[in-house]
Amino acid sequence: MLELTRKNTLLTDEFAIETDTDVDRALSIISINTVDGNEADGFTENTGVTLSLDYEQIDEIILILQVASNALKRAENQ
């Protein structure tokens, strides 16, 4: 059985991250866009960055973001 695409979206008041993952091709299209508006009035996504990444590239991005998050947590606790 073919698994074509999995789509996930994270929407906040400031940004949106959307992933379209094609398991058969082992790639994920990841879009990161800024957002204008609010929940009451509706959101408008602005043009941002769209990348086609494999799992190794995604893992590297996650690692860098985790390091940044840990540094911020340490600074907050000092």
Side-chain angles (χ1 to χ4, degrees), residues 36-55:
D36 291 326
N38 56 50
E39 194 170 349
D41 298 329
F43 294 102
T44 303
E45 284 189 47
N46 301 311
T47 302
V49 176
T50 301
L51 302 166
S52 177
L53 303 170
D54 64 24
Y55 73 89

Side-chain angles (χ1 to χ4, degrees), residues 6-66:
R6 294 181 189 169
K7 187 171 189 165
N8 292 297
T9 303
L10 169 65
L11 179 63
T12 72
D13 291 339
E14 299 171 355
F15 65 90
I17 298 176
E18 186 175 284
T19 63
D20 291 313
T21 302
D22 185 333
V23 176
D24 292 330
R25 292 192 178 139
L27 289 174
S28 187
I29 306 298
I30 299 175
S31 299
I32 303 172
N33 304 308
T34 59
V35 173
D36 291 326
N38 56 50
E39 194 170 349
D41 298 329
F43 294 102
T44 303
E45 284 189 47
N46 301 311
T47 302
V49 176
T50 301
L51 302 166
S52 177
L53 303 170
D54 64 24
Y55 73 89
E56 290 175 339
Q57 294 166 316
I58 294 170
D59 286 348
E60 289 173 2
I61 291 169
I62 291 169
L63 177 64
I64 290 170
L65 292 174
Q66 190 62 58

